[in-house]
């Protein structure tokens, strides 16, 4: 699903602990409760309202697309918020009617009726509860992404085709193929009032989030307006147009709650005759809703840098489905649209999702009259756009890069033509065949050096299926030569092992020389006939993994050596070992150009290895390095420098990065120089002195209000100035008009970071407390300075 899922402020589950801050109290429990209450009021309450404004039209639209009573969408939204929100394992995830289950639910309703569909939802919920209790949630993540995204794309296309008929004033057919075949007649005679309302809603959905990008004052006004969800504005615009012009249109038929149908068990005869089909539907709803919820949980974890309890989340979703089905609601799943809105609106705990469920209940009881004025064409336009967005071109490019596009395409076509269960089964079968093909696929290459030596390289798993190809290749090597057999370190079964060493023994007996080398964890080693690994003589006496040549300066002569020669040795190592692995990815970047999501501004210190501490690769970071990681304030006499400002402007306006990180480090020489007063030297200033004058604001800030660590004091004045300098440079970044405009629009955030060499520990600036918090595998609650509003 193509969604605006960018990184957002981290928020922890404050049902267990509250953000720092708050008044004093003599009782720790009361302090915690007080802080928790303030967090709910300051963060969760506004976020819940933002999600509620998205959830209501979205829930009505999903109900419309399934053919269920429209009240069923509101019941599902309320159950998802109140039950899954309160009991789920991903505190910031918001659950509600599932778009991925639209086609499946519509089929159940059409074939068995609404009450049986509710019973299927209840059974699926109970099965999810059982699976969550058996702790199998993470097993669902083993499903190939090509199948998952193919299923979502197929469902999206099916939804879009059906809802396009409603936008044109007609009625959807029973299947995607039928909708496609009926489309020419529908296009030939559209209902113009319905088309006008639907087209207006679609235009608003696409244009509303872009108002903040307008230049000047219009952009600032647009940024404020876009705090309202596009879905709500689109439906409101369509409704207003229909009422102002007095258009005669089909509108929401929201039945009174006294006529709302609850779940009913299938009749004994139906169970006896149709139990295999009903069981298959229960399993399908369970699997699709579970996988969608767990994938959404993983997406929320990536946004918030937290770790969810997926088994608890699955149990929460199961209980929500049970309640929703019993009360006559649609199937429930965690939703990426709602969850993204929740995170980006600044939610701090699970109470945001719970409150959103409360608002849905109030709206369903108190606003029924207003909801009945909504034209069906406006809701259909909303669901149509959601369906189209489920076909994500970003996912298609990623899947194509991993050579799984055939699996994706087969799954999409299978879902559209055969339905979700059979389509996913066909996609899974093709994925299994591809996996078997790759397991038996190996390439064997022979190259001859100028000195007459031969190098045999193998790529991929060497199994019994590759033995004939391997034997033919080895047999072509002339006798008596020096041969190196280089295996890439992937799987080597017994048949291939025996074939290699039998050939080696025979070749050496005929007067040849053979060295057998394998890569294990990027380490060169010889595979001896007894199966042990010994150092490869050609690789030198010391063995180092790819990242270790600089460790302790043991493998590189730093003093008195030829620095240029060392550099070339490193380049040669790259060409031999790394370039073959990254060439395809770099070629893609060369074709497509750079699209980094972040600007990383740090010091020129040689000890700062940005790719290492951020686990990033080519194309990920747009990096600016200078002495002291300084951002010159504009218009400062004698100190301004246009190179940094130019890089920032290019990153923000051309590359459209979504975040800027200023990263300082321990033992910074620039900060030491500032404390020593180098920038105040008399006489004609040198370039270094002029540059360091850009740090005068940091010195003043350190005297006035120095930055602090959350878990320890600063080691010395230099470290205190280092972290204060990061805060000061973030402020100076906001003086850049391009940065200020994007931050005000909510499309760019600023992040402060500090890296301590002595402990290899990274710290991130907490926007709530203003302190630097350590980043660790156990506690990943990064606190960011800017909170980006949702643009759903």
């Amino acid at each position: 699903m193509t969604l605006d899922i960018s990184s957002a402020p981290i928020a922890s589950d404050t049902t267990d602990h509250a953000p720092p801050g708050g008044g004093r109290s003599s009782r720790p429990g009361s302090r915690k409760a007080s802080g928790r209450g303030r967090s709910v009021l300051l963060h969760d309450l506004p976020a819940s309202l933002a999600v509620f404004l998205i959830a209501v039209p979205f829930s009505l639209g999903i109900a419309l697309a399934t053919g269920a009573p429209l009240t069923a969408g509101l019941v599902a939204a309320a159950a998802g918020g109140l039950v899954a929100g309160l009991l789920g394992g991903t505190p910031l995830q918001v659950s509600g009617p599932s778009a991925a289950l639209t086609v499946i639910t519509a089929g159940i309703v059409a074939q068995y009726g609404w009450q049986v569909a509710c019973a299927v939802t209840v059974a699926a919920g109970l099965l999810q509860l059982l699976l969550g209790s058996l702790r199998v949630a993470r097993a669902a993540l083993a499903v190939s992404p090509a199948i998952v995204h193919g299923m979502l794309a197929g469902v999206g296309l099916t939804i879009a085709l059906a809802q396009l008929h409603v936008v044109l004033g007609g009625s959807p057919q029973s299947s995607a193929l039928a909708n496609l075949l009926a489309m020419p007649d529908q296009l030939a005679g559209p209902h113009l009032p319905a088309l006008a309302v639907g087209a207006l809603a679609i235009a608003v959905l696409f244009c509303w989030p872009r108002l903040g990008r307008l230049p000047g004052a219009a952009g600032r006004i647009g940024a404020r307006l876009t705090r309202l969800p596009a879905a709500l504005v689109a439906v409101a615009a369509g409704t207003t147009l229909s009422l102002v012009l007095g258009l005669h249109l089909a509108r929401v038929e929201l039945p009174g709650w006294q006529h709302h149908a609850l779940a009913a068990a299938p009749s004994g005869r139906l169970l006896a005759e149709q139990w295999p089909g009903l069981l298959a539907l229960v399993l399908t709803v369970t699997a699709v809703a579970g996988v969608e919820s767990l994938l959404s949980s993983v997406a929320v974890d990536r946004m918030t840098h937290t770790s969810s309890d997926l088994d608890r989340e699955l149990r929460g979703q199961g209980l929500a489905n049970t309640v929703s089905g019993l009360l006559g609601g649609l199937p429930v799943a965690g939703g990426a649209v709602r969850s993204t809105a929740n995170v980006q609106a600044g939610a701090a705990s699970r109470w945001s999702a719970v409150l959103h469920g409360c608002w849905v209940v109030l709206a369903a009881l108190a606003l029924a009259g207003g909801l009945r004025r909504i034209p069906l064409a406006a809701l259909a336009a909303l669901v149509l756009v959601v369906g189209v967005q489920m076909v994500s071109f970003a996912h298609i490019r990623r899947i194509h890069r991993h050579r799984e596009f055939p699996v994706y395409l087969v799954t999409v076509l299978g879902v559209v033509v055969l339905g979700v269960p059979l389509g996913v089964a066909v996609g899974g079968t093709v994925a299994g065949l591809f996996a078997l093909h790759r397991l038996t696929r190996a390439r064997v290459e022979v190259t001859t050096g100028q000195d007459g030596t031969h190098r045999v390289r193998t790529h991929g798993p060497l199994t019994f299926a590759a033995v004939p190809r391997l034997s033919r290749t080895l047999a072509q090597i002339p006798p008596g030569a020096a041969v190196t057999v280089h295996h890439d370190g992937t799987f080597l079964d017994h048949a291939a092992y025996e074939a290699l060493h039998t050939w080696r023994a025979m070749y050496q007996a005929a007067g040849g020389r053979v060295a057998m080398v394998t890569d294990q964890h990027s380490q060169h080693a010889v595979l001896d006939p007894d199966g042990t690994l010994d150092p490869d003589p050609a690789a030198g006496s010391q063995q180092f993994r790819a990242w270790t040549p600089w460790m302790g300066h043991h493998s590189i002569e730093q003093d008195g050596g030829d620095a240029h020669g060392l550099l070339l040795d490193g380049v040669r190592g790259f060409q031999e070992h790394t370039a073959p692995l990254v060439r395809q990815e770099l070629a893609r970047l060369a074709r497509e150009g750079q699209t980094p999501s972040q600007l990383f501004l740090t010091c020129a210190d040689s000890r700062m290895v940005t790719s290492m501490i951020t686990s990033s690769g080519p194309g990920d970071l747009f990096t600016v390095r200078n002495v002291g990681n300084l951002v010159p304030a504009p218009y400062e006499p004698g100190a301004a420098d246009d190179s940094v400002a130019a890089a920032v402007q290019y990153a923000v306006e051309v590359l459209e990065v979504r975040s800027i990180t200023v990263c300082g480090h321990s033992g910074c020489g620039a900060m030491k120089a500032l404390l020593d007063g180098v920038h105040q030297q008399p006489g004609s200033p040198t370039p270094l002195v002029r540059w360091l004058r850009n740090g005068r604001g940091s010195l003043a800030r350190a005297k006035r209000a120095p930055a602090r660590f959350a878990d320890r004091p600063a080691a010395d004045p230099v470290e205190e100035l280092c972290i204060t300098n990061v805060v000061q440079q973030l402020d100076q970044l906001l003086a850049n008009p391009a940065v200020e405009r994007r931050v005000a629009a909510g499309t760019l955030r600023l992040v402060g970071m500090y890296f301590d060499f002595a402990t290899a520990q990274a710290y991130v600036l907490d926007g709530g407390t203003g302190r630097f918090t350590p980043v660790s595998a156990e506690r990943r609650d990064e606190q960011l300075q800017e909170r980006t509003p949702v643009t759903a």
Side-chain angles (χ1 to χ4, degrees):
M1 186 180 293
T2 303
L3 303 169
D4 185 14
I5 303 184
S6 57
S7 297
I10 296 315
S12 55
D13 182 359
T14 54
T15 58
D16 299 320
H17 56 273
R24 291 174 157 261
S25 173
S26 59
R27 297 173 56 195
S30 65
R31 282 201 301 269
K32 178 183 283 191
S34 176
R36 189 180 305 147
R38 273 193 297 274
S39 177
V40 171
L41 289 175
L42 293 177
H43 303 295
D44 295 325
L45 180 59
S48 70
L49 292 171
V51 179
F52 159 72
L53 295 176
I54 295 173
V56 169
F58 190 76
S59 301
L60 292 173
I62 295 297
L64 173 68
T66 61
L70 296 187
T71 50
L74 299 176
V75 170
L82 294 171
V83 180
L86 192 61
L87 302 176
T90 308
L92 298 188
Q93 174 154 276
V94 182
S95 302
S98 167
L101 285 168
T102 300
V103 176
I104 302 171
T105 307
I108 301 174
V109 173
Q111 186 173 357
Y112 299 106
W114 171 239
Q115 289 186 304
V116 174
C118 293
V120 169
T121 302
V122 172
L126 294 174
L127 185 54
Q128 284 181 319
L129 271 171
L130 175 63
L131 293 174
S133 300
L134 295 176
R135 307 186 68 83
V136 299
R138 289 200 175 274
L141 301 180
V143 180
S144 169
I147 296 176
V148 174
H149 294 303
M151 179 197 73
L152 292 175
V155 169
L157 290 175
T158 304
I159 293 173
L161 286 171
Q163 297 310 303
L164 183 56
H165 280 278
V166 180
V167 171
L168 294 171
S171 300
Q173 307 299 312
S174 59
S175 68
L177 288 179
N179 280 318
L180 192 60
L181 293 175
M183 191 58 65
D185 291 339
Q186 188 69 66
L187 290 172
H191 185 248
L192 293 181
L195 180 58
V197 170
L200 175 62
I202 292 173
V204 171
L205 284 169
F206 280 103
C207 297
W208 189 258
R210 294 167 173 79
L211 292 179
R213 302 180 188 177
L214 296 174
R220 289 191 291 273
I221 296 173
R224 297 189 186 96
L225 291 176
T226 53
R227 294 174 183 173
L228 286 173
L232 177 69
V233 177
V235 172
T239 304
T240 302
L241 178 67
S242 67
L243 294 175
V244 169
L245 299 182
L247 301 178
H248 295 287
L249 295 170
R251 300 184 186 272
V252 168
E253 296 179 5
L254 195 66
W257 289 103
Q258 65 272 20
H259 303 298
H260 180 72
L262 302 179
S267 65
R269 180 179 178 182
L270 181 62
L271 276 176
E273 296 177 354
Q274 301 286 341
W275 72 265
L278 289 172
L279 178 61
L281 289 171
V282 170
L283 295 175
T284 301
V285 172
T286 302
V288 175
V291 170
E292 184 183 13
S293 298
L294 296 175
L295 290 176
S296 179
S297 293
V298 173
V300 172
D301 286 347
R302 289 174 180 170
M303 284 188 287
T304 59
H305 299 271
T306 54
S307 181
S308 297
D309 184 342
L310 295 183
D311 292 302
R312 178 181 174 184
E313 179 63 29
L314 188 56
R315 293 194 296 271
Q317 295 293 334
L319 191 56
N321 271 306
T322 303
V323 172
S324 179
L326 288 173
L327 297 179
L330 291 169
V332 170
V337 175
R338 294 178 292 265
S339 301
T340 302
N342 191 43
V343 173
Q344 292 185 337
S349 75
R350 63 177 69 251
W351 288 106
S352 173
V354 175
L355 287 172
H356 128 272
C358 296
W359 308 141
V360 172
V361 172
L362 291 176
L365 297 176
L367 302 179
L371 296 177
R372 291 188 181 99
R373 297 175 180 271
I374 300 175
L376 294 184
L379 289 180
L382 170 62
V383 181
L384 185 152
V385 171
V386 171
V388 171
Q389 289 180 335
M390 290 171 75
V391 184
S392 169
F393 289 102
H395 288 144
I396 292 175
R397 285 194 297 269
R398 191 176 302 117
I399 289 167
H400 186 270
R401 188 161 66 245
H402 290 283
R403 295 178 294 178
E404 291 191 334
F405 182 74
V407 177
Y408 175 88
L409 183 61
V410 167
T411 306
V412 172
L413 296 177
V415 169
V416 171
V417 176
L418 303 175
V420 174
L422 290 177
V424 171
V426 171
T429 302
V430 173
L433 293 175
F434 264 76
L436 289 175
H437 172 67
R438 288 170 179 168
L439 186 61
T440 59
R441 179 185 178 188
R443 290 187 295 118
V444 185
E445 303 171 349
V446 179
T447 57
T448 305
Q450 295 180 352
D451 56 355
T453 60
H454 293 73
R455 171 166 289 195
V456 180
R457 283 187 172 272
T458 66
H459 305 276
L462 284 181
T463 64
F464 64 92
V467 169
R469 187 184 309 116
L470 177 65
S471 300
R472 285 195 303 270
T473 303
L474 295 175
Q476 297 172 4
I477 300 174
V483 183
T484 299
V485 180
H486 194 122
H487 182 42
D488 65 0
T490 52
F491 181 71
L492 178 71
D493 76 354
H494 185 71
Y497 176 84
E498 289 291 341
L500 275 172
H501 287 287
T502 300
W503 172 83
R504 180 190 188 189
M506 294 174 59
Y507 194 84
Q508 287 178 332
R513 292 175 297 151
V514 179
M516 303 188 73
V517 182
T518 186
D519 284 344
Q520 298 227 338
H521 305 293
S522 303
Q523 180 173 340
H524 299 290
V526 174
L527 184 63
D528 274 356
D530 62 358
T532 60
L533 290 172
D534 291 330
D536 175 12
S541 59
Q542 296 195 53
Q543 304 302 318
F544 297 94
R545 296 188 181 184
W547 51 270
T548 58
W550 50 268
M551 263 188 76
H553 299 254
H554 294 307
S555 61
I556 295 180
E557 292 292 339
Q558 295 290 333
D559 299 326
D562 178 9
H564 181 64
L566 291 173
L567 182 65
L568 289 182
D569 285 343
V571 174
R572 292 188 187 98
F574 165 81
Q575 294 297 151
E576 181 178 2
H577 303 297
T578 308
L581 303 176
V582 301
R583 186 170 287 118
Q584 182 177 0
E585 177 67 9
L586 291 179
R588 182 190 66 81
L589 290 171
R591 291 192 306 270
E592 299 178 4
Q594 62 169 332
T595 56
S597 61
Q598 304 170 61
L599 166 60
F600 198 85
L601 198 153
T602 189
C603 187
D605 193 296
S606 62
R607 298 167 293 179
M608 280 293 295
V609 185
T610 57
S611 59
M612 180 184 68
I613 66 174
T614 60
S615 299
S616 57
D620 292 338
L621 300 180
F622 187 72
T623 307
V624 175
R625 304 184 67 151
N626 62 52
V627 175
N629 47 272
L630 300 176
V631 182
Y635 318 121
E636 185 167 351
D641 179 274
D642 285 339
S643 63
V644 176
V648 170
Q649 183 180 0
Y650 182 80
V652 171
E653 295 187 344
V654 179
L655 299 178
E656 295 185 339
V657 298
R658 297 190 296 274
S659 72
I660 301 177
T661 299
V662 176
C663 182
H665 66 87
S666 59
C668 180
M671 299 301 105
K672 292 178 183 177
L674 283 170
L675 288 173
D676 292 340
V678 171
H679 61 292
Q680 296 174 337
Q681 288 181 353
S684 179
T686 65
L688 179 60
V689 168
R690 286 198 300 272
W691 174 254
L692 288 176
R693 288 175 178 173
N694 293 299
R696 288 177 294 190
S698 301
L699 275 175
R701 191 184 200 113
K703 295 177 182 178
R704 182 180 69 254
R708 300 285 187 235
F709 290 102
D711 62 336
R712 64 176 179 87
D716 51 41
V718 174
E719 185 172 58
E720 185 177 76
L721 181 57
C722 287
I723 59 175
T724 304
N725 179 58
V726 170
V727 180
Q728 178 66 23
Q729 302 314 310
L730 290 173
D731 285 351
Q732 292 182 188
L733 262 175
L734 279 173
N736 186 303
V739 174
E740 183 184 20
R741 183 165 56 251
R742 287 279 307 279
V743 170
T747 59
L748 177 69
R749 69 172 185 272
L750 306 182
V751 181
M753 186 179 292
Y754 174 78
F755 188 76
D756 180 34
F757 291 130
T759 60
Q761 177 64 60
Y763 296 80
V764 175
L765 182 63
D766 186 318
T769 65
R771 293 175 179 262
F772 282 82
T773 305
V775 178
S776 67
E778 292 76 21
R779 183 177 183 273
R780 305 182 210 174
D781 52 344
E782 174 189 351
Q783 310 267 315
L784 302 179
Q785 282 200 319
E786 296 297 323
R787 297 185 179 270
T788 308
V790 66
T791 54

